[in-house]
Amino acid sequence: MSSVLTDLFPHPIVQAPMAGGVSVPQLAAAVSDAGGLGFLAAGYKTADGMYQEIKQLRGLTSRPFGVNLFLPQPETADPAAVDVYAHQLAGEASWYETELGDPESCGDDGYDAKLAVLLDNPVPVVSFHFGVPAREVIDSLHRVGTLAFVTATTAEEARAVERAGADVVIAQGVEAGGHQGTHRDVPETDGSGIGLLSLVAQVRESVGIPVVAAGGIMRGGQIAAVCAAGASAAQLGTAFVAAHESGAHALHKQALTNPLFARTELTRAFTGRPARALVNRFLREHGPYAPAAYPEVHHLTAPLRKAAAKAGDAQGLALWAGQGHRMARELPAGQLVEVLVAELAAARTALSAGGAR
């Protein structure tokens, strides 16, 4: 690993920040204590809610950790298209006996307030999704001793990340679960993302800063592969959804390996932005008609997803998952890190042995 990263965590394993309640302090603490880098997800939380989780995490571990922010999105949604989608979802609201959410609530996700908290109470790492923060933002984080990680899905985006002064680029392949971290939401490019190994190689040749690979990684051998392709570490999300400390709903954890959910798709059905989820009834019925409208659609469908969880209905949940979901292992997070490290060592030994012949 790059020395920038080895000073933070000895093993090349980053627990992806998963918004919506998955990345709880207990999960991040367990990963960091095991030698990886645990992450909190500030998305969809208030600034105070984020701060309270940071305080809780600091009470659980003395190891470094990170906090992830969603960048505010330009107002490009067509209100008429959102209204049409709301009409299409009326039957869901009736079925779950709830109201649809307000699509206009908190469009910037409290970005400025969260940044202010993180500058007043610095954490080791802040990562950004859905774009590149302003250079002044990254400079201000550096002044308080915080490293900046930024997601990119193309080599061009990675170059923009480096120009902004970020310390690390997270190369996110199309295999990744949850939201694609594209810097611009362009519907015409839906489903045209780059596979992780190709992306890592392209990004490695495009930038001089360390690369963290993300997308469908579930085994130590895959970590070895992305490191061989030029990454300094790997970021795993779906692998930690099933961990004992994960805050994911039990239905979500079970669905990862349930044969009923055989595949994943990129969809706008739940949030209005492309995100990879297990294919269920809601995705099949509404995915083809969901508009490009983030975060409006997220707020619109939030009560439906909450009601589906309360009803124990996995067919109405956003079951975020990467393409490797069937390889999920239900283990304590710290033990999972240990297993991944052992698999990584075995893979590297096998590669070395093969090269010595």
Side-chain angles (χ1 to χ4, degrees):
M1 283 198 295
S2 160
S3 61
V4 172
L5 302 182
T6 50
D7 290 345
L8 286 173
F9 50 105
H11 302 311
I13 296 169
V14 178
Q15 167 244 312
M18 294 168 281
V22 179
S23 296
V24 293
Q26 293 82 358
L27 176 62
V31 173
S32 290
D33 280 344
L37 182 66
F39 255 95
L40 295 175
Y44 312 134
K45 293 184 175 72
T46 64
D48 184 64
M50 177 194 74
Y51 176 57
Q52 296 304 322
E53 286 205 345
I54 291 171
K55 286 205 302 183
Q56 186 180 353
L57 177 52
R58 283 180 166 142
L60 295 171
T61 183
S62 59
R63 298 288 305 158
F65 62 91
V67 176
N68 175 255
L69 299 181
F70 288 165
L71 282 156
Q73 298 301 287
E75 295 181 8
T76 58
D78 178 359
V82 176
D83 287 343
V84 169
Y85 194 53
H87 180 73
Q88 293 171 333
L89 294 175
E92 298 283 350
S94 177
W95 174 257
Y96 289 117
E97 299 181 337
T98 189
E99 299 291 329
L100 294 175
D102 177 8
E104 300 303 321
S105 59
C106 197
D108 68 353
D109 201 44
Y111 179 73
D112 289 337
K114 291 171 183 174
L115 266 180
V117 170
L118 292 168
L119 292 173
D120 286 341
N121 303 271
V123 299
V125 178
V126 172
S127 70
F128 297 87
H129 211 55
F130 298 148
V132 184
R135 177 118 199 175
E136 309 86 78
V137 169
I138 292 178
D139 288 344
S140 65
L141 289 170
H142 287 165
R143 283 195 292 271
V144 297
T146 298
L147 296 177
F149 292 18
V150 183
T151 300
T153 61
T154 66
E156 180 183 9
E157 290 181 349
R159 287 190 288 271
V161 169
E162 184 175 46
R163 287 195 300 270
D167 302 281
V168 171
V169 59
I170 301 168
Q172 184 195 40
V174 73
E175 304 94 330
H179 284 100
Q180 290 285 295
T182 50
H183 294 183
R184 293 192 306 120
D185 186 8
V186 183
E188 292 77 18
T189 62
D190 282 4
S192 63
I194 304 170
L196 182 58
L197 283 176
S198 294
L199 179 63
V200 169
Q202 292 175 33
V203 169
R204 181 67 283 156
E205 291 187 3
S206 300
V207 300
I209 57 177
V211 178
V212 171
I217 300 172
M218 305 293 287
R219 296 287 188 266
Q222 293 171 290
I223 298 173
V226 295
C227 288
S232 292
Q235 179 172 281
L236 291 75
T238 306
F240 286 106
V241 169
H244 292 183
E245 296 89 345
S246 158
H249 194 285
L251 292 171
H252 191 173
K253 293 183 178 185
Q254 294 161 8
L256 295 176
T257 53
N258 185 339
L260 182 65
F261 304 100
R263 61 188 179 88
T264 64
E265 276 186 17
L266 285 169
T267 184
R268 294 179 181 268
F270 299 103
T271 69
R273 221 178 192 278
R276 186 172 296 282
L278 296 171
V279 176
N280 61 3
R281 179 195 58 78
F282 193 101
L283 189 157
R284 284 193 301 269
E285 293 183 2
H286 302 294
Y289 313 106
Y294 177 89
E296 289 85 355
V297 171
H298 162 76
H299 295 304
L300 190 69
T301 66
L304 299 178
R305 289 177 274 129
K306 184 177 180 180
K310 185 176 180 181
D313 182 10
Q315 296 297 335
L317 295 177
L319 301 171
W320 306 130
Q323 289 183 340
H325 64 94
R326 297 300 288 274
M327 301 167 73
R329 298 178 278 205
E330 294 186 18
L331 296 170
Q335 184 179 344
L336 178 56
V337 172
E338 292 173 3
V339 170
L340 289 167
V341 169
E343 291 172 345
L344 170 60
R348 284 175 166 167
T349 298
L351 286 170
S352 297
R357 287 175 189 162

